[in-house]
Amino acid sequence: MVTIGIVVLNYQDWELSLRCMESIRGACGTFAWRIYLIDNASKRVMPPSVRNFLKKERARACFFTADKNRGYASGNNLGIACALKDGCGVIVVANSDIVFQSRAIEAMAVCLMHHPEAGIVGPMVVGTDGSIQQSCCSMRTGIQEIFQVYTAAKKIYKNKCSAYHCQNRNPYRRAYVYHVSGCCFAFSAACAKDLTPLDEGTMLYGEELMIGLRMEQLGYRTIYEPRSVVVHEHGATTSRMLPLMYQCISQSELYYCGKYLKAAVWQLWVLYQYRRWLYRLRCLRNRKLARYRTTFLAETKKSYRQALTFAKQK
């Protein structure tokens, strides 16, 4: 029997992580499972409720803490490596703000087993109000897609955006896609071994784009599986750190375009200027962002220079 390893990445929000872990039991069906709770060097001490859960489930739940918060990829790499070492045949990666619905993990595992060509399966992601969230992409994200889908130009390229985000498809039908959301997905052990370690060059955001490219290069397919449903309290953590969120979005975009797309110097300059001025405009309406402006501009400038270095290594 295949054992499923579930990696739950925590930073500060222990209560969210506990809720996520408590939902796992009813989501795995008849599969054996094991939880890997990874704490990304939180400043908050683990509360008794989480400690009690880990003690109660000590036979199939383990806890690891990183010495420093190096971001999404780094934390998950730690958990994935442990799951592979323990012989897990399927590995699920989940943000702490995910709640698995009944048999959600089982559905992803079964889909992987029935489709050996697939390395990753992603679930239907819904919000707390039941609305279906954007959780998959239909095409490779090149520099053209960056400008047309991830900037204000999306108001002009509405049809392209709809196709890109799979909005023109039936959300209740299984489909091959280019990549799925990094908030929750499952991959086979074979794919995990080939795909990891995930690129640790970014703190947050953009990981789906990099995974999509790597999956294509490795010859794996990605499947969207609507029989698996998870509830995502989108932004439950990052909304409390809004300035950092905008900073990470800008930095990840520049990193991806420079390292993976080898974008032209002028393209990187336009993206860099676009994010800088967009942040300045947001500062007019948000004092919290305004107080962080100097840090945002300094950190994104560093990322811009790094992206230029990557881009010139063609």
Side-chain angles (χ1 to χ4, degrees):
M1 171 65 79
V2 171
T3 297
I4 303 174
I6 303 101
V7 180
V8 179
L9 187 61
N10 176 77
Y11 180 68
Q12 304 289 65
D13 284 297
W14 294 102
E15 291 77 16
L16 288 178
S17 296
L18 177 60
R19 187 181 63 179
C20 175
M21 293 189 293
E22 289 177 334
S23 71
I24 288 172
R25 183 181 291 104
C28 292
T30 59
F31 284 94
W33 51 271
R34 187 167 177 79
I35 295 173
Y36 299 86
L37 176 61
I38 309 298
D39 179 54
N40 246 348
S42 295
K43 296 178 182 178
R44 283 187 62 205
V45 176
M46 180 190 294
S49 56
V50 178
R51 199 174 301 280
N52 290 338
F53 176 88
L54 293 173
K55 183 178 180 180
K56 181 180 178 181
E57 296 289 353
R58 57 183 175 273
R60 51 185 179 182
C62 48
F63 171 70
F64 300 92
T65 183
D67 60 344
K68 182 180 180 182
N69 183 3
R70 296 182 178 86
Y72 170 94
S74 179
N76 280 314
N77 280 336
L78 177 58
I80 294 166
C82 292
L84 287 174
K85 184 178 179 180
D86 288 345
C88 294
V90 173
I91 300 171
V92 175
V93 171
N95 286 1
S96 61
D97 55 3
I98 288 292
V99 175
F100 295 99
Q101 301 301 282
S102 179
R103 295 184 175 272
I105 295 175
E106 178 188 47
M108 288 190 284
V110 169
C111 184
L112 279 172
M113 292 176 182
H114 289 174
H115 296 82
E117 76 285 2
I120 286 180
V121 171
M124 175 187 286
V125 182
V126 301
T128 53
D129 60 355
S131 60
I132 300 176
Q133 295 183 357
Q134 294 177 358
S135 63
C136 53
C137 167
S138 67
M139 64 188 75
R140 181 179 184 273
T141 305
I143 194 66
Q144 181 172 279
E145 285 69 37
I146 291 293
F147 278 103
Q148 293 177 347
V149 179
Y150 289 98
T151 69
K154 62 186 177 184
K155 295 180 180 180
I156 300 173
Y157 296 95
K158 293 181 179 180
N159 291 336
K160 176 71 172 284
C161 291
S162 178
Y164 179 89
H165 291 299
C166 301
Q167 294 172 339
N168 56 352
R169 300 184 183 185
N170 184 343
Y172 297 98
R173 183 173 297 174
R174 182 189 300 130
Y176 287 108
V177 295
Y178 193 81
H179 71 242
V180 292
S181 173
C183 73
C184 181
F185 64 90
F187 47 11
S188 65
C191 179
K193 290 175 183 176
D194 289 340
L195 190 65
T196 59
L198 302 176
D199 191 327
E200 299 183 4
T202 60
M203 178 64 71
L204 285 172
Y205 305 113
E207 60 276 347
E208 301 101 332
L209 309 187
M210 292 180 275
I211 289 174
L213 284 180
R214 290 287 292 127
M215 289 285 285
E216 182 180 40
Q217 293 166 356
L218 293 168
Y220 286 106
R221 302 293 299 275
T222 300
I223 295 178
Y224 163 73
E225 175 53 271
R227 292 186 303 171
S228 173
V229 180
V230 303
V231 177
H232 184 208
E233 191 176 343
H234 186 62
T237 303
T238 53
S239 61
R240 301 170 195 171
M241 304 181 293
L242 200 60
L244 179 62
M245 182 188 77
Y246 287 133
Q247 177 186 313
C248 289
I249 288 173
S250 179
Q251 290 179 302
S252 296
E253 181 178 69
L254 289 167
Y255 182 84
Y256 174 75
C257 291
K259 182 175 181 179
Y260 287 84
L261 300 185
K262 302 297 182 183
V265 171
W266 72 266
Q267 292 169 330
L268 292 173
W269 183 84
V270 171
L271 286 172
Y272 171 54
Q273 295 297 334
Y274 173 78
R275 293 298 174 194
R276 289 177 70 218
W277 284 105
L278 184 59
Y279 191 89
R280 285 190 170 104
L281 289 174
R282 286 169 171 156
C283 286
L284 298 177
R285 302 190 302 269
N286 190 311
R287 292 182 180 179
K288 185 177 181 180
L289 293 181
R291 289 194 296 269
Y292 194 82
R293 182 171 58 189
T294 301
T295 300
F296 175 89
L297 295 175
E299 293 302 316
T300 52
K301 187 174 184 178
K302 292 178 185 177
S303 296
Y304 171 60
R305 289 174 173 172
Q306 180 190 47
L308 289 175
T309 301
F310 284 136
K312 292 175 181 178
Q313 296 172 352
K314 295 184 179 181

